[in-house]
Amino acid sequence: MLKVISTPHLENRAAWVMAFELRDLFVAQPAAHVRRYGLHKDDFNLVITDTAEAMSRGKTLNRFSLGGNESDVMDFLAICGWSLKKVLEVCAAFYCEPTKHVRLRDTLKLWGYQRDAKIEFCPFAAQRVNPLQKLPKKWTIPHVVRLLARDTDARVKTQWELTDDYKADADRNFGRDHLPDRLALLRELVEAGSAWRIHEDHEGLSISHGQRSYAIHLPDRLIAA
């Protein structure tokens, strides 16, 4: 799972350097997701997503990709005063799209994308998600997202996790009853919900994907509703 690391602001050079080292960072104000791709200084790709409407149905949001070398990206950030808010404003001012980039410098390009907000995760957006008021007739992944985002009484435990090392898996009892990183799991369900499967039986609800399965304890208030 991708860890969910967040920071209140991103407004000076040191903070940006930290973001590049982490490679994946969520920012509270302004709401954004900053991710760095590329392994070398000459292969530097910075992707910034405006997550103000993240996890909302019927909304779209903007994603921008700056590609070039590290020094040009750093110069662009410096021109914007190291302000994430200003970076988003400047990028939005250009007309760009996935198949039509804007060349900011000889070695610096800008692309723009439109994203469906409901499949974009943001740890600060959970409180905007509508809570479940009653058990659904048929569970879907969006129902599970609403449950885990808003109901702290909905407990999650690992049923099993498998790797390529069966002996190591057996030694750790296949991860059974381990408490997963709740935000990281929620992120996967939002961003890649179609890859997950839901199972209902007499013991309750579980979700699985690949070599992992998690049991979800439903809150008493939902069962009684």
Side-chain angles (χ1 to χ4, degrees), residues 2 45 56 59 68 86 97 100 117-118 126 145 148 162 175 183:
L2 281 172
N45 193 268
S56 299
K59 303 281 188 178
K86 186 66 174 179
E97 53 187 285
K100 184 179 180 181
K118 72 175 181 290
V145 168
L148 298 185
L162 303 178
L183 276 180

Side-chain angles (χ1 to χ4, degrees), residues 5-25:
I5 304 173
S6 60
T7 185
H9 307 284
L10 198 54
E11 53 190 15
N12 57 57
R13 188 182 189 280
W16 281 98
V17 171
M18 176 198 69
F20 296 155
E21 291 175 352
L22 292 172
R23 303 185 75 88
D24 191 285
L25 183 68

